[in-house]
Amino acid sequence: MPLPRRGGEPRLAGARVIRTSLPRATPRSPKRVGRGAPLLSHAQRLTRRRHSSEQVPPEPEQADFRSGKWLQERAGGDARDPRHTPLARMSSRQRVSGTEEVVIPCASDSDSGSVDLQLSNLDDIQKGRPSVEFTDSDISDIPVLPQASLPDNLRLVTLQEPLNEASVERLVQSIQEVLHGELKGEPQKLEFLRSLSSLSQTIPYDESTESFIHRHTAEIVHVLSVLVQEEPPHSLTSLVFQEIFVTITDLSYQEVYLLFGSEDREDLLGLITKSIISLPALSTPIQLPRIVSNQAIEQECLYRETFEAFSVMLQSLVVKDPHLENFDSIFKHIDPWLQSDRDHERERATTVMAQVLKCLSSYLSLKLPLQFQRLGHLVAVMALLCGDPQKEVAEEAAEGTHYLLHITLRLKYITQDRDSKNLRETLKKCRDLLEQYSLKRFYCCPFKIVQVFEVFLDSQELGQFIMTVLDSLKSLPHPCIQQTAGELLITLVKNAEARFEKVPEIIGVICARLSIITLTSVRQQIISTVSLFVSRPKYTDTVLSHLLCHPVPYDRHLAELWRTLEVELSNTTWVLWRLLRKLQKCHEGPTQEKMAYVAVAVTDALYEVLMGNKLRAAAFRLFPQLLMTLLIQIHHSIGLTMSDVSIPSGLYAEQELPTEVTPLCFAIQATKTLLLRTLCWQEFSIMEKNGGWTLLKGEGHLQGVFLLANALMERSRLFAYKIMYLLVPLINRGNDKHKLTSAGFFVELLKSPMARRLPRLYSTIRLKTWLNEESKLFRILGLRGLCNLVRHREMREEIKNLLPCILNSLHETDERIILLAIQILLQLVRMLDSTTLAIMMKTLLSLFGDVRQDVHHFSMILFGASIKAVKHTEKKRVEDQVLESLVPLLLFSQDENHEIAKESRRVLTLSARFLNWKLPREVYCKDPLYIKPNEVRRVCKFFGEKSKGKIDILEQTLMYSKDPKLPIRRTAVLFVGLLSHYVDTNELKRKGTDWIENDLRELLQDPEPSLRIIASQALFRIQRVGNTSEAEISSSWLRKLLGCLHT
């Protein structure tokens, strides 16, 4: 059976079994006015009556008390009419140890002085009170807070005659016997408790009594604890409980607090509270045996009287509580029961708390310092109870909240500056809010309660409130309470989002509770709460930092949070920027031995945020920063596993370190998602088709960056331009990997026409600096940038100033550097003077025959372009270089590489035209020359005769006999043998042929048979040419001699 409702069916008036063997106290002149004239409770008046049976007024005859007629009238009469409520009931025991007992009725709850307040009357109260302005004297005149009348059982009454000294001595002696002995049986226990209660009445005028009680307080507390523990658990028929509560109440009014001040006393309060609140529900069939109706009624009455005594006991503790110390202890012990999963326990605790709050508000007289520091927690608990699915609990909580608002107003009034404009504005806001709703409707809507209380709660109390609401999500018996908690949370954060302090703790609890919240709407409210916090610039970094301190990959609950963040449009860019900035900071310092965990966490968070697409506008706005930061993160992540990440201790305490994921996979998936969410589908496709993602993951990272940059230039020029202007001031910041990735993207964007607008400082001067860097990669990027920049004609004159650096690049060993330098020079060749051309052509000759096919090919192309670029008047300055190119070009026309052979013939033609030579048509023969001896003789004859006195064609040809390519070696050896007939014999005589013969003899050992045969033929020709020369010299000497003799 539920507890009686205030304003509904009145409680049944209880009957008290009292003894009449002890004398009754009569008043004397009190010695202490401050502690005299105590506020006597109903329990105190009962105590006085039971010790003075001779003065108890006779009770009217209750003839039909146990009759069936009474039961019928109770069932059929108006429950709200106090006339239908019996004035008294008989106790279950009519006699104890043969002592005469009388029945004393308890006051009915329908009395005007009851602690109850009917919610149905709240609207009338509001209408009957005029609206007033706030002043120091009338703060309590807010329409919702009428001055409650003092409860009848807590009003001042006239004291009876005090006990004489003999009676007091007898009481003291009986109490001492118990303290030094033990109690056996219920009668003895009741006698002890009543004696102690009667003795407490003498404290105001008997100092010895006061001294006795204070000396033996610890023993009294111990005995009471024993009495409570000895009572049968879950018993609804114990008189001892009721007497304990009455005794504690009487002592409390004499300022002897048995429940506060020490650990033992606090334990006693907790024990008593548990004994009453945890009693089984009256409707439990097991606890109510099938006995006669009168016995069941008596049992119910006794339970209600006991509960009423317990409630009055707690109220008596807060009557004189200026520092709220007692209230703080009461709330500490009642709090767990207010959040119980059992409906009847929650109902009892809520009823008691509502009564205590009303009593406290009625006798409120606050003084600093205040000991109660959990206002936010209390407000949250009461607000949650206002949304309880049990109607009785919700109504009790609503009534308690009414009095709590009164207490809060007074509490804030005393703790804040009364002249503060802030306080007046707060009070005015409170009144304005209350005037928007009817009172009954107001207390039935928890989120409206929050709107009013929020204006009074400071930052610490707001933190208490929100933590309490979040804790309530941990184990809730009813889904509707989850709904209430969600509404309270989102309402509070919306109204007071700028005044919270313990935001990290709040976010931590939210993350921990996400997995147990079953209602979709509540989950969304919780996530909206995080969204509100993260939207506030004051909390953004704090919230993000805490969300990032979770294991990656994020579980489905955190992933849902990231994906469904609902940030106001005006703050979306700010939130995404702060998240991005955390990743950027990881790239600014020197590369560490291990990657910072926050870098991996942010990368995964960016992926989840982009997947949710709630911050789409911000993603478009921050696309340049997002893309470049993710590309840099990819560069840092190449080759790393999660074991290479500096993971905070304890982060993966309950799970193993993931091995199937790496920092690189997080960065790649975030980059892909960014492209798709910003509608860069074609760029994504280009990367897929050309293996761009694979390039980004390995040593070809820069090639992947080039590919993506070119894709953006081709398909999304606006994004490309934004990235270029972003990189202009930031390209040299951060560590080496940061610079390399940024520089790689930047130089590729120099193809854009917008690059012409860049200042020299950010274009050519920057590229020149990179050309002088020790890092080979930066030299490559510098040349690549110039290669892209030189496409713009107006930039060539400026790039021409960098020719010394570019020409020096031709001497590099790295193929990429040489090829880039050649590409630049091809664009500038027509702007070069003859001196520069001569130097460049000499360098290019050294690259003819390079084993790197591209170097060989493009060096000939540039040589041919240089020949074309020479002005007619300056031909003499480059003639030597052109002549030196004839033999290699002729030989490489036999190259097995078709492109090189073709280019050699083309450049050879250009050289011949430059020299005004007409090449024999056999030069253009595509077949190998060694199989066509006649054609070879004509070619050799032409070049031998044309080059006489200009170049040592035989020596130059012999150099290529050691070329690594067989066709070139074979053709060179063939030419050596044939050219020997067409060279200057005097020159050959002067040098001799030994050096030629030695090289040819070495070739006789070559593993290629065709080369050995051609080498032997060439050696024979060289030797014959040498012998012929000696014979011709001898014959010439003889002719001269004979001529002399003839004369």
Side-chain angles (χ1 to χ4, degrees):
M1 181 178 296
L3 292 176
R5 286 295 308 127
R6 291 188 281 275
E9 179 183 354
R11 286 188 181 89
L12 300 177
R16 175 72 54 84
V17 178
I18 63 172
R19 298 189 57 184
T20 60
S21 60
L22 294 177
R24 177 169 172 254
T26 56
R28 293 178 182 172
S29 56
K31 295 182 180 180
R32 304 172 184 82
V33 176
R35 295 177 57 186
L39 302 174
L40 298 184
S41 68
H42 173 67
Q44 288 175 294
R45 294 197 299 278
L46 290 179
T47 303
R48 293 186 180 280
R49 289 185 180 182
R50 72 178 176 223
H51 295 304
S52 183
S53 59
E54 69 278 6
Q55 296 190 26
V56 174
E59 294 294 333
E61 191 69 25
Q62 302 289 337
D64 59 351
F65 176 72
R66 302 175 185 274
S67 65
K69 178 182 178 181
W70 179 84
L71 291 175
Q72 294 172 2
E73 290 177 355
R74 181 175 181 271
D78 186 359
R80 298 181 182 273
D81 191 344
R83 292 175 298 176
H84 293 281
T85 303
L87 296 177
R89 293 182 177 83
M90 296 295 292
S91 172
S92 60
R93 292 178 176 87
Q94 296 299 321
R95 295 186 179 274
V96 178
S97 302
T99 305
E100 182 183 0
E101 299 175 340
V102 295
V103 179
I104 303 299
C106 291
S108 170
D109 282 341
S110 61
D111 294 344
S112 60
S114 172
V115 295
D116 306 326
L117 176 67
Q118 300 181 19
L119 281 177
S120 58
N121 296 331
L122 286 177
D123 289 335
D124 298 333
I125 293 172
Q126 185 186 36
K127 294 174 183 177
R129 181 171 295 277
S131 177
V132 293
E133 294 299 326
F134 295 105
T135 64
D136 293 347
S137 61
D138 59 6
I139 184 174
S140 61
D141 288 338
I142 293 181
V144 78
L145 296 174
Q147 295 294 332
S149 59
L150 299 181
D152 183 62
N153 57 359
L154 295 173
R155 286 179 178 171
L156 296 173
V157 297
T158 302
L159 293 177
Q160 302 296 325
E161 289 294 328
L163 296 175
N164 56 40
E165 293 181 5
S167 299
V168 172
E169 187 65 29
R170 257 197 335 270
L171 290 173
V172 170
Q173 186 176 359
S174 65
I175 292 171
Q176 283 181 327
E177 291 175 357
V178 173
L179 295 178
H180 296 93
E182 59 178 347
L183 292 172
K184 296 181 179 179
E186 184 176 291
Q188 189 177 359
K189 294 177 181 178
L190 294 175
E191 183 176 357
F192 165 73
L193 292 170
R194 291 165 182 166
S195 298
L196 186 58
S197 180
S198 295
L199 185 63
S200 69
Q201 308 302 313
T202 67
I203 290 178
Y205 53 83
D206 193 330
E207 292 183 354
S208 62
T209 300
E210 180 180 17
S211 176
F212 170 78
I213 291 178
H214 282 293
R215 285 199 314 271
H216 295 85
T217 299
E219 291 91 332
I220 293 172
V221 170
H222 175 71
V223 171
L224 293 179
S225 298
V226 172
L227 292 178
V228 174
Q229 294 173 4
E230 288 180 350
E231 287 301 300
H234 306 305
S235 173
L236 296 172
T237 60
S238 173
L239 284 172
V240 175
F241 271 142
Q242 185 177 153
E243 291 298 337
I244 290 175
F245 302 152
V246 171
T247 300
I248 294 175
T249 302
D250 289 341
L251 287 169
S252 298
Y253 280 111
Q254 305 305 329
E255 298 185 14
V256 178
Y257 298 109
L258 300 182
L259 303 179
F260 309 123
S262 69
E263 185 177 350
D264 292 340
R265 301 182 193 184
E266 291 284 346
D267 290 343
L268 177 58
L269 175 57
L271 188 61
I272 289 173
T273 303
K274 180 179 179 181
S275 300
I276 294 300
I277 302 297
S278 64
L279 287 174
L282 288 180
S283 59
T284 305
I286 298 177
Q287 301 298 334
L288 291 178
R290 295 182 178 180
I291 55 178
V292 296
S293 300
N294 287 342
Q295 291 178 335
I297 294 173
E298 289 176 10
Q299 184 183 50
E300 181 180 337
C301 291
L302 181 59
Y303 159 70
R304 294 185 181 278
E305 290 174 358
T306 303
F307 185 81
E308 181 70 17
F310 171 70
S311 175
V312 171
M313 176 194 73
L314 294 182
Q315 294 177 64
S316 70
L317 300 175
V318 298
V319 169
K320 294 182 180 179
D321 191 18
H323 302 290
L324 297 182
E325 185 176 5
N326 296 349
F327 178 74
D328 183 65
S329 295
I330 292 172
F331 178 56
K332 181 176 68 175
H333 291 283
I334 293 291
D335 184 24
W337 302 104
L338 291 171
Q339 303 176 63
S340 172
D341 290 344
R342 298 179 178 178
D343 294 342
H344 67 279
E345 292 178 351
R346 209 164 57 254
E347 181 184 353
R348 288 171 184 159
T350 307
T351 301
V352 169
M353 182 53 64
Q355 293 175 357
V356 170
L357 287 171
K358 178 172 184 180
C359 181
L360 180 62
S361 68
S362 300
Y363 295 97
L364 197 61
S365 179
L366 299 177
K367 295 180 182 178
L368 297 176
L370 297 176
Q371 301 299 320
F372 182 65
Q373 302 296 329
R374 297 199 297 163
L375 178 61
H377 176 61
L378 176 56
V379 173
V381 170
M382 298 303 292
L384 284 167
L385 290 171
C386 286
D388 197 277
Q390 295 295 317
K391 180 181 178 182
E392 293 80 5
V393 175
E395 291 181 353
E396 292 286 354
E399 186 173 321
T401 305
H402 168 78
Y403 300 117
L404 179 58
L405 181 56
H406 185 194
I407 296 169
T408 302
L409 285 169
R410 286 294 179 180
L411 189 148
K412 294 301 178 181
Y413 188 65
I414 193 175
T415 56
Q416 297 182 12
D417 183 6
R418 301 186 183 186
D419 297 327
S420 170
K421 181 180 179 182
N422 226 3
L423 178 61
R424 294 179 179 275
E425 290 177 352
T426 300
L427 295 173
K428 185 176 185 303
K429 181 179 179 182
C430 173
R431 183 186 64 180
D432 294 342
L433 286 170
L434 290 173
E435 287 178 348
Q436 295 178 12
Y437 319 108
S438 67
L439 299 188
K440 187 173 181 180
R441 180 186 173 194
F442 168 74
Y443 289 112
C444 292
C445 298
F447 68 92
K448 294 177 182 176
I449 294 174
V450 173
Q451 289 178 345
V452 173
F453 274 96
E454 172 268 324
V455 300
F456 296 106
L457 301 182
D458 58 28
S459 57
Q460 181 181 358
E461 291 162 349
L462 287 171
Q464 294 172 1
F465 184 102
I466 202 168
M467 295 299 285
T468 302
V469 173
L470 290 172
D471 284 338
S472 69
L473 297 171
K474 185 164 48 179
S475 56
L476 295 177
H478 302 287
C480 64
I481 298 183
Q482 276 196 352
Q483 188 69 43
T484 301
E487 291 178 358
L488 289 175
L489 192 62
I490 193 67
T491 303
L492 181 66
V493 175
K494 281 183 178 179
N495 286 276
E497 56 183 341
R499 296 195 287 121
F500 289 95
E501 288 183 350
K502 298 182 178 180
V503 175
E505 291 85 346
I506 294 172
I507 301 301
V509 175
I510 286 177
C511 294
R513 298 290 180 267
L514 277 175
S515 59
I516 62 174
I517 300 174
T518 56
L519 294 179
T520 304
S521 59
V522 178
R523 290 178 67 85
Q524 192 55 52
Q525 287 173 329
I526 298 299
I527 293 174
S528 296
T529 300
V530 179
S531 301
L532 287 172
F533 275 125
V534 81
S535 298
R536 294 286 300 187
K538 178 180 178 181
Y539 304 128
T540 302
D541 287 339
T542 303
V543 174
L544 292 178
S545 296
H546 195 89
L547 290 177
L548 295 172
C549 292
H550 289 82
V552 294
Y554 297 119
D555 60 34
R556 63 186 183 89
H557 305 292
L558 265 179
E560 178 190 7
L561 191 154
W562 282 113
R563 294 185 184 192
T564 56
L565 281 177
E566 290 283 357
V567 183
E568 296 178 4
L569 185 61
S570 58
N571 293 324
T572 53
T573 304
W574 165 254
V575 173
L576 193 57
W577 165 248
R578 295 312 301 168
L579 184 61
L580 181 63
R581 192 72 188 97
K582 291 182 179 294
L583 182 55
Q584 290 176 342
K585 288 180 179 179
C586 298
H587 303 154
E588 291 176 354
T591 304
Q592 301 297 323
E593 183 178 352
K594 284 195 170 186
M595 177 178 286
Y597 178 77
V598 68
V600 183
V602 171
T603 307
D604 194 19
L606 285 172
Y607 163 70
E608 298 294 350
V609 168
L610 293 170
M611 281 294 294
N613 210 24
K614 294 289 185 179
L615 307 183
R616 183 181 181 186
F620 274 99
R621 192 172 293 114
L622 294 177
F623 178 84
Q625 293 90 336
L626 284 167
L627 182 61
M628 290 311 306
T629 305
L630 289 173
L631 289 175
I632 293 168
Q633 177 63 16
I634 291 174
H635 198 173
H636 281 84
S637 304
I638 294 174
L640 299 184
T641 64
M642 288 303 292
S643 59
D644 299 313
V645 178
S646 180
I647 299 175
S649 59
L651 187 62
Y652 287 89
E654 299 179 0
Q655 53 184 308
E656 295 182 359
L657 194 66
T659 57
E660 68 280 1
V661 295
T662 63
L664 184 59
C665 74
F666 290 124
I668 290 290
Q669 70 180 5
T671 307
K672 289 181 177 180
T673 309
L674 174 65
L675 291 178
L676 294 174
R677 287 304 189 191
T678 51
L679 306 182
C680 295
W681 299 321
Q682 293 181 340
E683 294 84 342
F684 182 88
S685 177
I686 291 173
M687 292 291 288
E688 288 277 350
K689 291 178 180 179
N690 295 277
W693 304 117
T694 303
L695 289 172
L696 284 175
K697 295 178 183 179
E699 295 181 357
H701 174 74
L702 285 177
Q703 295 299 320
V705 171
F706 298 153
L707 180 61
L708 182 56
N710 281 304
L712 281 173
M713 279 291 300
E714 181 182 349
R715 302 295 182 180
S716 302
R717 290 201 171 188
L718 181 60
F719 278 154
Y721 294 157
K722 288 182 177 180
I723 293 175
M724 184 174 67
Y725 282 110
L726 167 72
L727 293 175
V728 163
L730 303 177
I731 201 168
N732 284 332
R733 298 183 185 179
N735 54 36
D736 289 341
K737 292 183 178 180
H738 181 289
K739 292 177 181 177
L740 280 172
T741 303
S742 301
F745 211 101
F746 175 76
V747 298
E748 210 61 23
L749 296 179
L750 292 177
K751 297 176 183 178
S752 163
M754 299 295 291
R756 295 175 295 184
R757 301 182 183 181
L758 293 177
R760 292 178 63 251
L761 179 64
Y762 299 121
S763 56
T764 54
I765 294 179
R766 174 175 285 172
L767 296 176
K768 180 182 178 180
T769 303
W770 291 349
L771 292 178
N772 297 320
E773 287 278 351
E774 293 183 4
S775 171
K776 180 172 64 177
L777 290 175
F778 271 106
R779 295 201 298 275
I780 291 173
L781 292 176
L783 288 169
R784 191 177 184 93
L786 290 175
C787 187
N788 292 329
L789 206 58
V790 78
R791 298 183 180 192
H792 311 299
R793 293 183 179 276
E794 56 270 35
M795 299 294 296
R796 292 177 182 175
E797 190 64 38
E798 192 172 334
I799 296 174
K800 183 181 174 182
N801 298 328
L802 303 179
L803 273 176
C805 295
I806 299 172
L807 291 174
N808 287 337
S809 299
L810 294 175
H811 300 283
E812 291 273 1
T813 58
D814 191 278
E815 178 181 2
R816 293 170 294 179
I817 294 178
I818 297 173
L819 292 177
L820 287 169
I822 291 174
Q823 294 296 328
I824 298 169
L825 292 170
L826 282 172
Q827 300 294 330
L828 299 176
V829 67
R830 295 186 178 278
M831 303 173 63
L832 305 182
D833 57 77
S834 58
T835 304
T836 305
L837 284 172
I839 296 173
M840 182 179 71
M841 292 171 74
K842 186 176 182 180
T843 304
L844 291 172
L845 284 171
S846 65
L847 298 176
F848 286 6
D850 196 291
V851 294
R852 296 164 294 191
Q853 300 290 330
D854 288 339
V855 173
H856 186 180
H857 184 210
F858 283 100
S859 62
M860 290 192 297
I861 292 175
L862 179 57
F863 192 88
S866 302
I867 293 175
K868 290 182 178 180
V870 177
K871 296 178 181 179
H872 182 73
T873 57
E874 298 177 346
K875 282 188 175 183
K876 284 293 182 182
R877 295 186 180 182
V878 297
E879 185 177 355
D880 292 342
Q881 284 75 21
V882 174
L883 288 170
E884 289 181 8
S885 70
L886 295 175
V887 171
L889 289 172
L890 179 62
L891 293 174
F892 284 115
S893 66
Q894 298 297 303
D895 197 286
E896 57 190 2
N897 186 306
H898 175 69
E899 292 296 329
I900 292 178
K902 182 179 178 180
E903 188 61 29
S904 297
R905 288 191 288 269
R906 188 186 71 84
V907 178
L908 182 60
T909 302
L910 293 175
S911 299
R913 289 176 183 173
F914 180 85
L915 297 171
N916 292 321
W917 294 359
K918 184 177 180 181
L919 294 174
R921 55 187 179 83
E922 288 80 4
V923 171
Y924 303 103
C925 180
K926 295 182 180 180
D927 295 327
L929 291 177
Y930 72 92
I931 65 175
K932 294 186 176 183
N934 295 328
E935 286 82 353
V936 173
R937 287 189 180 91
R938 285 193 285 271
V939 171
C940 289
K941 180 180 180 181
F942 175 82
F943 280 100
E945 294 176 349
K946 287 289 186 179
S947 59
K948 282 183 180 180
K950 297 179 180 178
I951 57 171
D952 190 347
I953 191 170
L954 189 61
E955 180 180 1
Q956 192 177 8
T957 305
L958 187 62
M959 288 174 55
Y960 288 93
S961 65
K962 299 179 181 179
D963 193 90
K965 295 181 179 180
L966 176 61
I968 306 304
R969 294 202 309 274
R970 193 160 47 197
T971 305
V973 173
L974 180 62
F975 278 16
V976 167
L978 295 175
L979 284 172
S980 60
H981 296 285
Y982 306 107
V983 297
D984 188 350
T985 55
N986 294 328
E987 183 69 20
L988 188 62
K989 178 186 68 173
R990 185 177 62 81
K991 290 184 177 181
T993 60
D994 294 341
W995 55 280
I996 301 175
E997 293 176 9
N998 291 336
D999 288 347
L1000 291 175
R1001 287 192 181 98
E1002 290 180 3
L1003 293 173
L1004 294 177
Q1005 308 301 322
D1006 194 276
E1008 173 58 38
S1010 63
L1011 182 60
R1012 292 200 300 268
I1013 294 172
I1014 295 174
S1016 63
Q1017 293 174 350
L1019 180 62
F1020 174 76
R1021 291 189 178 102
I1022 291 297
Q1023 291 174 343
R1024 191 176 64 176
V1025 170
N1027 294 333
T1028 302
S1029 299
E1030 293 178 0
E1032 288 179 354
I1033 292 172
S1034 300
S1035 62
S1036 176
W1037 180 79
L1038 287 173
R1039 285 192 204 102
K1040 291 180 180 179
L1041 179 59
L1042 291 173
C1044 293
L1045 292 175
H1046 185 269
T1047 56

